[in-house]
């Protein structure tokens, strides 16, 4: 989370709603561990302003805990910084499986630590590679064949594994440059296009190494599994979506455990809160 720009201050309130929604639906005996990484100047405000719930343990850490003062991380555009955080932090902290979230996400279904795990592998969120150019770009950068018929791990929210984020960084950290510098060069070489996303790099390197499905359930059964991480049908992308969806009766099945309520739709936060918390818990 970055609160440098005034118009982004709404992210603070939305993060509070995300935490509240997690508290409503978390069903494990152990507290949910939520890590927020923010610019150093925003850490104090976040630590004192976010809501507190007994079932949710929130830790706010500075970017400087994970990136040295001279790192080229600080020269990346903000969107790429968010992506590098999702790769670097889990690798440094030795994460196993972890869930990625942002301030537009709300939890709308009950879950626990085992909900998205099947036979030791993650029930993650996938997308057809043909839908986005960044899959071809990432394949070129990684050095793996591109096949538009295949699928890759989709955007936030999703389930990743620290072993594979570390693997992706190691792949780009060979030679005279560290991984952030190498990936920054790729951004500079492709102005006007999306050089890579964290998920496309993560997927492509794991495909190259041959271990993607050691950690993730294949996309075919994942699309039709009874447990869905994310629901497209209950997401709100615009004001028209919201007016339609808000009329549905409370307690209806959202179709997945998490949804997105797009901040650009400019729906008052209290109305968003009423909608997200209307699903049965």
């Amino acid at each position: 989370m970055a609160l440098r720009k005034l118009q982004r201050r709404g992210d603070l309130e939305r993060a509070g709603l995300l935490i509240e929604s997690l508290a409503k639906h978390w069903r494990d005996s152990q507290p949910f561990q939520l890590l927020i990484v923010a610019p150093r100047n925003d850490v104090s405000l976040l630590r004192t302003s976010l809501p507190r719930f007994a079932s949710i343990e929130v830790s706010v850490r500075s970017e400087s805990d994970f990136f040295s003062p001279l790192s080229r991380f600080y020269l990346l555009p903000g969107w790429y910084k968010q992506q590098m955080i999702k790769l670097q932090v889990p690798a440094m902290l030795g994460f196993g499986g972890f869930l990625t979230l942002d301030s537009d996400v709300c939890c709308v279904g009950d879950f626990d630590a085992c909900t998205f795990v099947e036979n030791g592998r993650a029930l993650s969120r996938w997308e057809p590679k043909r839908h986005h150019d960044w899959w071809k770009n990432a394949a070129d950068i990684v050095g793996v064949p591109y096949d538009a018929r295949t699928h890759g791990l989709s955007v936030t929210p999703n389930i990743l594994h620290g072993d594979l984020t570390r693997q992706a960084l190691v792949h780009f950290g060979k030679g005279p440059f560290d991984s952030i510098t190498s990936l920054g060069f790729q951004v500079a070489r492709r102005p006007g296009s999306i050089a890579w996303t964290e998920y496309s790099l993560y997927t492509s390197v794991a495909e190259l190494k041959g271990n993607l499905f050691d950690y993730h359930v294949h996309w075919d059964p994942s699309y039709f599994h009874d447990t869905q991480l994310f629901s497209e049908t209950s997401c709100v992308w615009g004001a028209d979506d919201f007016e339609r969806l808000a009329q549905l009766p409370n307690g209806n099945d959202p179709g997945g455990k998490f949804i997105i309520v797009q901040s650009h739709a400019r729906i008052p936060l209290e109305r968003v809160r009423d909608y997200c918390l209307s699903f049965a818990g």
Side-chain angles (χ1 to χ4, degrees):
M1 287 187 64
L3 306 177
R4 293 189 182 105
K5 297 181 180 179
L6 184 62
Q7 61 266 33
R8 301 298 289 173
R9 291 274 171 165
D11 282 357
L12 179 59
E13 288 73 26
R14 284 178 168 270
L17 175 56
L18 168 60
I19 293 169
E20 184 179 1
S21 71
L22 288 168
K24 178 180 179 182
H25 292 288
W26 179 241
R27 291 291 179 267
D28 204 86
S29 60
Q30 298 297 314
F32 184 92
Q33 305 288 327
L34 179 65
L35 171 63
I36 298 174
V37 180
R40 181 171 54 188
N41 291 341
D42 295 339
V43 168
S44 178
L45 176 61
L46 287 166
R47 284 177 175 166
T48 57
S49 301
L50 293 171
R52 300 174 184 272
F53 296 91
S55 60
I56 311 296
E57 290 188 2
V58 179
S59 173
V60 182
R61 305 262 316 254
S62 171
E63 294 169 343
S64 60
D65 291 349
F66 306 102
F67 302 94
S68 72
L70 300 179
S71 172
R72 291 183 179 270
F73 165 82
Y74 299 103
L75 301 178
L76 290 171
W79 192 58
Y80 284 106
K81 283 182 181 177
Q82 295 176 32
Q83 296 178 46
M84 282 305 309
I85 286 169
K86 293 191 190 81
L87 296 176
Q88 178 94 343
V89 173
M92 289 184 67
L93 295 182
F95 282 8
F98 65 97
L99 169 66
T100 61
L101 298 165
D102 63 30
S103 60
D104 280 353
V105 174
C106 276
C107 184
V108 293
D110 294 352
F111 74 109
D112 60 25
C114 298
T115 299
F116 305 117
V117 180
E118 185 171 89
N119 298 323
R121 296 179 296 162
L123 284 164
S124 299
R125 181 182 171 204
W126 299 85
E127 67 182 23
K129 291 183 180 179
R130 65 180 183 275
H131 285 182
H132 299 289
D133 291 341
W134 61 59
W135 286 106
K136 176 67 167 62
N137 291 341
D140 291 343
I141 293 169
V142 170
V144 66
Y146 170 72
D147 185 347
R149 299 169 298 177
T150 61
H151 298 240
L153 288 163
S154 190
V155 296
T156 308
N158 214 338
I159 306 282
L160 303 182
H161 198 285
D163 288 353
L164 298 190
T165 66
R166 190 177 307 107
Q167 175 177 268
L169 292 174
V170 169
H171 180 79
F172 291 102
K174 299 174 181 177
F177 303 114
D178 62 22
S179 57
I180 299 173
T181 302
S182 298
L183 291 169
F185 285 155
Q186 297 297 335
V187 174
R189 287 180 56 194
R190 289 171 167 81
S193 69
I194 298 175
W196 45 264
T197 66
E198 68 276 52
Y199 298 102
S200 62
L201 294 179
Y202 176 102
T203 302
S204 297
V205 173
E207 287 174 333
L208 181 68
K209 304 298 184 181
N211 59 1
L212 180 61
F213 298 116
D214 293 342
Y215 292 83
H216 296 272
V217 176
H218 192 276
W219 63 76
D220 274 343
S222 293
Y223 282 129
F224 303 103
H225 200 280
D226 289 340
T227 298
Q228 291 295 317
L229 171 67
F230 182 73
S231 171
E232 292 280 359
T233 58
S234 297
C235 287
V236 176
W237 306 111
D240 290 345
D241 288 333
F242 184 78
E243 294 304 326
R244 174 179 57 81
L245 292 167
Q247 301 304 315
L248 298 176
N250 288 358
N252 66 304
D253 181 4
K257 304 299 186 182
F258 291 87
I259 63 170
I260 291 173
V261 179
Q262 181 60 253
S263 58
H264 298 305
R266 302 194 181 282
I267 301 162
L269 185 65
E270 278 308 309
R271 296 199 68 197
V272 174
R273 181 180 182 275
D274 289 344
Y275 174 67
C276 292
L277 299 183
S278 70
F279 295 97

